[in-house]
Amino acid sequence: MSAALTLVLIVAVAYLATHLAFDWIARRLLIVSGAEYLVLGILLGPQVSGILTGDTLDSFAPFTTLALGWIGAIVGMQFFLPNLVRIRGIVFRLAFVEAILTLTFVGGLLTVAMAWMLDMSYVQAAFPGLAMGAIATVSAPTGIQVVASRIGRRHPVVHQLEVTSALDAAVAIAAIGILLCIGHPSPIGIARPLTSTEWAVVTLGIGVIGGVLFHLFLGEERDIDRLFISLAGAIILTSGAAAYLSLSPLLPALIVGAVLVNTSDNREEIERTLLTAERPFYFVLLIFAGATWEPSLRSWALPVLLFLAARGVGKIGGARLATRFSDEKEALGLDWGRALLGQGGLAIAIGLDYLQHGRLAVPNLVFTAAVASVLLTDLSSARLVRSVVMPFVTRDMGPEIARTLAEPGRKEADAPATDGDVASPDPSPDPTLEATTGAAPDDATGGNR
């Protein structure tokens, strides 16, 4: 089978799964789909069946780069400044503290552990350690959105979770982008190689130039098909330029998304176009990621298990510490970090981004940690969110209304009205911003698009 036909079949399967199965399964069974495509990729890959060979995967590298850029652009589209300024400062502070604590705790612990277990220097171990810290920071928004579609987005816990998942994504992408700048190889034949700071400036410059350039091309365009072509061109240009320079395509694409959403009059059409293609890109990326995976569980079991345990401690403990020193304990409780344990596509994207830069230490170990975390948490992410949110809904709205909202198939618009306006209908469509981005579908603000 030719590589082109294989790609067409994979995209077709992902497209059909997106439109026929994803929403129904999430709504009826409270199960967020995604991990099964990762398993499918493992089965199709050279490690099992060999249907997708190494040469085939190499030929799909540009498509993988486009998928990474698309994910980054969707994350950037959340940061619409007029909506951001309406969020209370304490919500941002709690989200940012949780993200930084998780990043530093997991990154620091894994750096020390891998230096000891794998007999590396601390400098060598810092790269995979911080990459795993970035992966640990990511929280899948899909489970949050599935639950929010039932009970409404105005409840303080739901709003905090949506903002936190968006900031988690931004912090994680920034961390991996800067990390790859620090570990950038010195090109051969250059009299004075660029410093890490200069590579970071180049990364940001690619994003800013790409966003400004394609803002001029997009103009007042409203046609979805033309917008799709223009956005694909913008993302291909920025992510391709970053990949060519051995930089992360996620960070420049995030900047492109943020620039476009804040400078274009057709913001809603651009965002709708990105979201329409987001899930097929996500599922195809999961399949390619599974096929790329080269496990070596015997030698990596301890670091991966330590990563999984450290991430749980970092997420729950970081949220608990951030809340304990604020005035939000009554509204949020201390255990809302448990709702952030789900992981999805952005974790895979960061792991794959690190894997593609094989010059850094133990890339397959970092990618294995991302795969293991997604496989263990993806299917349960919505149920984890519900276990955190429903006690507050029961307290604020009463057990009868809470049970009604928790019924399978219940949508937010069907929720009974209450004095607290917790279940206010959201007129926006239901484009769940997949865990691939680590972003919420309603801007980072949780407000309506």
Side-chain angles (χ1 to χ4, degrees):
M1 183 181 297
S2 67
L5 181 57
T6 302
L7 178 60
V8 169
L9 291 176
I10 291 174
V11 172
V13 170
Y15 183 83
L16 291 174
T18 295
H19 289 276
L20 298 179
F22 187 94
D23 287 332
W24 189 91
I25 292 174
R27 187 170 62 251
R28 296 291 176 181
L29 304 179
L30 208 65
I31 294 176
V32 176
S33 177
E36 62 271 26
Y37 298 94
L38 191 60
V39 175
L40 177 61
I42 295 173
L43 296 176
L44 293 176
Q47 301 298 320
V48 182
S49 67
I51 295 176
L52 294 176
T53 64
D55 292 338
T56 301
L57 292 174
D58 290 340
S59 68
F60 289 153
F63 187 87
T64 303
T65 301
L66 171 60
L68 292 175
W70 204 274
I71 291 169
I74 291 176
V75 175
M77 289 292 293
Q78 298 173 98
F79 296 96
F80 182 51
L81 293 178
N83 284 343
L84 295 179
V85 297
R86 293 201 297 266
I87 300 177
R88 294 188 304 143
I90 185 62
V91 176
F92 278 126
R93 288 196 295 273
L94 289 175
F96 187 72
V97 169
E98 178 275 325
I100 293 300
L101 287 178
T102 302
L103 175 65
T104 54
F105 174 73
V106 177
L109 179 62
L110 265 296
T111 296
V112 174
M114 285 191 291
W116 177 67
M117 287 188 286
L118 303 180
D119 194 24
M120 295 189 293
S121 69
Y122 286 111
V123 174
Q124 289 177 311
F127 288 99
L130 291 175
M132 294 168 79
I135 294 170
T137 305
V138 174
S139 301
T142 314
I144 300 170
Q145 298 310 314
V146 170
V147 174
S149 67
R150 296 185 179 187
I151 70 171
R153 290 178 166 82
R154 297 189 184 180
H155 196 283
V157 177
V158 176
H159 182 58
Q160 181 67 58
L161 291 175
E162 289 188 322
V163 174
T164 302
S165 68
L167 271 183
D168 282 349
V171 169
I173 289 175
I176 192 65
I178 294 172
L179 184 67
L180 293 180
C181 290
I182 296 173
H184 196 281
S186 299
I188 299 175
I190 296 181
R192 190 190 71 82
L194 297 181
T195 65
S196 300
T197 302
E198 290 169 336
W199 280 121
V201 172
V202 170
T203 302
L204 298 177
I206 292 172
V208 172
I209 293 173
V212 172
L213 179 63
F214 279 88
H215 162 70
L216 299 176
F217 280 122
L218 291 173
E220 302 294 328
E221 183 61 61
R222 303 283 177 176
D223 182 77
I224 297 297
D225 293 334
R226 293 179 181 178
L227 279 175
F228 178 83
I229 295 172
S230 299
L231 286 170
I235 294 171
I236 289 171
L237 176 65
T238 54
S239 61
Y244 177 77
L245 295 173
S246 297
L247 300 168
S248 171
L250 288 167
L251 184 53
L254 181 149
I255 297 171
V256 168
V259 170
L260 291 178
V261 77
N262 284 285
T263 60
S264 302
D265 293 334
N266 53 350
R267 176 179 71 92
E268 294 182 358
E269 287 78 7
I270 293 174
E271 186 175 9
R272 190 177 302 114
T273 302
L274 282 170
L275 291 174
T276 300
E278 183 265 340
R279 283 190 202 149
F281 272 125
Y282 167 53
F283 291 148
V284 171
L285 182 66
L286 286 179
I287 292 173
F288 287 161
T292 305
W293 187 35
E294 297 179 3
S296 179
L297 301 180
R298 181 176 300 177
S299 59
W300 296 344
L302 285 178
V304 171
L305 290 175
L306 180 61
F307 165 79
L308 296 173
R311 182 177 184 269
V313 173
K315 281 291 179 185
I316 297 174
R320 182 180 288 266
L321 285 175
T323 310
R324 188 175 294 278
F325 297 102
S326 71
D327 298 327
E328 300 296 305
K329 286 184 287 186
E330 180 66 22
L332 302 177
L334 294 175
D335 295 325
W336 57 274
R338 190 170 70 247
L340 302 172
L341 290 178
Q343 288 218 277
L346 182 56
I348 292 293
I350 292 175
L352 191 59
D353 194 13
Y354 186 89
L355 179 66
Q356 290 179 336
H357 297 81
R359 64 185 181 273
L360 301 177
V362 289
N364 278 300
L365 171 56
V366 173
F367 190 52
T368 298
V371 170
S373 185
V374 170
L375 290 176
L376 289 176
T377 64
D378 200 29
L379 295 177
S380 61
S381 61
R383 297 183 182 274
L384 287 170
V385 176
R386 185 176 65 174
S387 70
V388 170
V389 172
M390 290 311 294
F392 291 95
V393 176
T394 303
R395 181 195 69 184
D396 297 341
M397 304 170 62
E400 293 298 327
I401 294 178
R403 280 196 297 270
T404 302
L405 291 171
E407 291 176 2
R410 169 72 67 177
K411 292 183 180 180
E412 182 181 349
D414 300 329
T418 65
D419 293 337
D421 199 22
V422 174
S424 60
D426 185 349
S428 60
D430 186 31
T432 304
L433 224 173
E434 197 38 74
T436 170
T437 64
D442 287 86
D443 307 3
T445 66
N448 297 332
R449 278 187 299 276

